Amino acid sequence: MKYKDYYKILGVARDASADDIKKAYRKLARKYHPDVSKEKNAEESFKEVSEAYETLRDPEKRAAFDQLGSHAAGQEFRPPPDWSQHFASGSPFDQMGQNAFDDIDLADLLAGLTGRARGRSGGRAGAREGPIPGPDYEAMVRITLEQAFHGTEIDLDLSVAEYDERGVAHRVPHRIKVRIPKGVIDGQKLRVPGKGGKGMQGASPGDLYLDIQVQPHPLFRTSGQDLYVDLPLAPWEAVLGTSVELPTLAGAVSLKVPASTRAGQQLRLAGRGLSRPGGKSGDLFAIVAIVVPTVVNERERSLYRELSESSNFDPRAHFKLGAAA
Amino acid sequence: MNIDTAEALSLDENSEVSFSQLLVLSGLSDNDLRELVDHGALTPINPNASSWMFTSYCVVVARKASRLSRDFELDAHAVSVLLGFVEKIEALESELHALRAGALGHGLAGTSDTVSR
């Protein structure tokens, strides 16, 4: 069992009052709660803070925790020889030999002392008597834009709590294969029914909730189900019109660029975006950028000069209108 | 060993859940869920019906409400206010993301459909 220094996590002294512990928790909850925080690793940090508070706010659990002794954070340790007898009597951990604690999670141990299992919705406790629904699990899943477009199957490796016949939770690795439907977008939430923790005494298992993160793509940008790609054109292509090969997530297509296409214009390829569930797909927009060559030969320079002398085009005509007003 | 592949279901505006399903999936009490509807944090598809139905996206909102209530020790009214702010932030982030993608255009240029093969 790995040690976690709950006092250090909350930033309080070992003799801190209940009030100090509450204040410290509130401050850290505001900083790290995943629904309101933008800190890196907020979810992991909040999980630690939450576990620390759940233990230290309860006088019984706090006393039991204090008697585990003080160790370095992350250090493997076992409770003192008579700890179970004093603090775990009547709980699933009663009469457990010291080496039986090796694959137990500290938070599960302390939660189990009051006969409460960590239940659904991220730890809502319920009384041990009667069926207890299995806990829900949450996982962040990073996929590429190509995987989002086509749909994909992913393997998830989770560390889950499995209860033995005594009701003691043991952390075991668990691999789940999940099919992600096509058309998911960054930030979307998915639910995998029944793939959470096992229920106890005949209750249903929990669910697995996935938080989708779509990795940035070198070419395409997304907005909902729509895709955007920059389309560089040479000046003569924009003026005269042309046909270009445009990459899409389903393979390259030929795109007709009309004559007199302007910079910033969005050329729409209907239905070439991400799928919408039960509906038509989003679109792909090619955003025109007119780019000029940085190196020109003498003939090109001469042609540009001839063009500038023979054209009446004034791209800054509106400056004069603005100045006159 | 073969591992069965589980289907992940999108939680969005395109599928529905009942009030009782939302209760089970969120971990909220009947009273708490009704209060969130009363305070406008959750909106049934059919508010005048005797059995409310919700979009499955409401599962995301309800679970968030459950977490906020538990973790910040807030009542339903405070959670509803907080959810309102979170929703506003998410809408702004979405608009910012769309701007960066180029979705909101450049003002001078229009959009034209183009035939492609």
Side-chain angles (χ1 to χ4, degrees):
Chain A
M1 182 161 56
K2 283 193 167 61
Y3 186 75
K4 294 176 208 177
D5 189 334
Y6 288 148
Y7 291 101
K8 209 173 250 182
I9 287 169
L10 288 185
V12 298
R14 290 188 85 89
D15 61 354
S17 66
D19 234 16
D20 286 342
I21 286 169
K22 189 171 194 166
K23 272 189 198 146
Y25 166 73
R26 283 185 166 175
K27 198 170 163 191
L28 291 169
R30 171 65 189 87
K31 187 174 179 187
Y32 291 120
H33 196 281
D35 288 324
V36 295
S37 170
K38 282 295 169 192
E39 295 271 340
K40 247 183 143 183
N41 301 322
E43 185 125 11
E44 195 51 45
S45 299
F46 181 74
K47 187 168 169 279
E48 277 197 339
V49 165
S50 185
E51 270 179 26
Y53 183 56
E54 278 303 305
T55 298
L56 299 182
R57 71 189 296 200
D58 182 319
E60 202 181 302
K61 286 188 203 172
R62 184 178 177 179
F65 174 74
D66 287 344
Q67 291 308 310
L68 288 171
S70 189
H71 309 270
Q75 184 186 343
E76 287 286 343
F77 81 106
R78 290 171 182 172
D82 56 350
W83 185 88
S84 290
Q85 188 186 335
H86 284 125
F87 296 104
S89 176
S91 83
F93 303 97
D94 195 3
Q95 308 295 330
M96 267 176 64
Q98 277 194 288
N99 58 0
F101 287 93
D102 289 352
D103 66 344
I104 305 277
D105 181 82
L106 179 59
D108 289 335
L109 170 65
L110 293 165
L113 293 185
T114 54
R116 289 163 182 247
R118 296 159 92 202
R120 264 188 175 248
S121 298
R124 181 179 287 271
R128 183 158 286 280
E129 296 76 32
I132 300 171
D136 293 330
Y137 297 143
E138 295 188 2
M140 185 162 299
V141 173
R142 288 178 66 92
I143 59 174
T144 64
L145 186 57
E146 283 82 359
Q147 286 176 304
F149 181 79
H150 294 288
T152 188
E153 282 186 8
I154 51 160
D155 288 324
L156 284 174
D157 289 308
L158 306 173
S159 169
V160 303
E162 283 190 1
Y163 294 90
D164 64 21
E165 62 285 351
R166 292 160 55 107
V168 174
H170 300 266
R171 289 275 152 178
V172 296
H174 192 54
R175 174 164 275 201
I176 302 173
K177 210 175 188 57
V178 177
R179 184 170 296 119
I180 309 288
K182 59 182 182 180
V184 295
I185 61 176
D186 187 58
Q188 189 158 351
K189 310 284 188 272
L190 304 176
R191 177 177 156 246
V192 191
K195 293 299 178 184
K198 287 185 189 149
M200 292 180 60
Q201 297 175 40
S204 54
D207 298 331
L208 171 63
Y209 287 85
L210 304 179
D211 189 353
I212 300 293
Q213 274 197 351
V214 180
Q215 294 167 18
H217 194 278
L219 270 185
F220 300 106
R221 300 181 297 278
T222 61
S223 177
Q225 261 81 14
D226 292 332
L227 299 174
Y228 293 82
V229 66
D230 291 327
L231 174 61
L233 296 177
W236 51 89
E237 289 179 319
V239 170
L240 301 173
T242 187
S243 198
V244 300
E245 191 172 276
L246 187 77
T248 78
L249 288 171
V253 297
S254 180
L255 172 65
K256 182 176 179 306
V257 179
S260 304
T261 289
R262 292 157 294 166
Q265 192 162 343
Q266 297 188 6
L267 305 179
R268 187 172 84 125
L269 290 85
R272 298 272 182 182
L274 299 173
S275 301
R276 278 200 185 90
K280 56 180 194 157
S281 298
D283 301 327
L284 169 60
F285 293 88
I287 304 179
V288 172
I290 298 175
V291 292
V292 297
T294 51
V295 176
V296 293
N297 59 36
E298 268 314 305
R299 168 109 174 98
E300 284 169 317
R301 192 178 300 280
S302 165
L303 285 168
Y304 274 118
R305 204 171 282 120
E306 192 181 328
L307 181 57
S308 76
E309 285 158 7
S310 57
S311 174
N312 291 323
F313 175 54
D314 182 1
R316 292 173 295 282
H318 63 290
F319 279 17
K320 294 171 190 136
L321 293 172
Chain B
M1 184 177 89
N2 276 335
I3 303 174
D4 285 342
T5 305
E7 295 291 333
L9 309 174
S10 279
L11 295 173
D12 55 26
E13 311 292 332
N14 299 299
S15 54
E16 295 177 0
V17 293
S18 65
F19 182 87
S20 53
Q21 283 175 309
L22 195 51
L23 271 181
V24 170
L25 295 177
S26 66
L28 289 165
S29 69
D30 184 294
N31 196 52
D32 284 345
L33 194 50
R34 287 182 191 280
E35 278 202 75
L36 286 174
V37 172
D38 283 344
H39 290 298
L42 289 169
T43 307
I45 296 167
N46 55 346
N48 298 322
S50 55
S51 296
W52 285 336
M53 294 295 292
F54 298 84
T55 67
S56 64
Y57 182 70
C58 287
V59 175
V60 177
V61 178
R63 286 173 59 82
K64 195 175 287 190
S66 178
R67 276 196 306 273
L68 290 171
S69 170
R70 182 193 66 221
D71 297 338
F72 290 106
E73 296 165 331
L74 299 172
D75 63 23
H77 172 62
V79 165
S80 297
V81 172
L82 193 48
L83 281 175
F85 284 121
V86 171
E87 198 181 302
K88 193 162 183 171
I89 290 168
E90 286 172 351
L92 284 167
E93 284 177 336
S94 179
E95 195 172 335
L96 183 59
H97 186 79
L99 263 171
R100 286 187 176 139
L104 300 183
H106 292 263
L108 293 175
T111 305
S112 60
D113 281 357
T114 182
V115 175
S116 62
R117 57 174 171 79

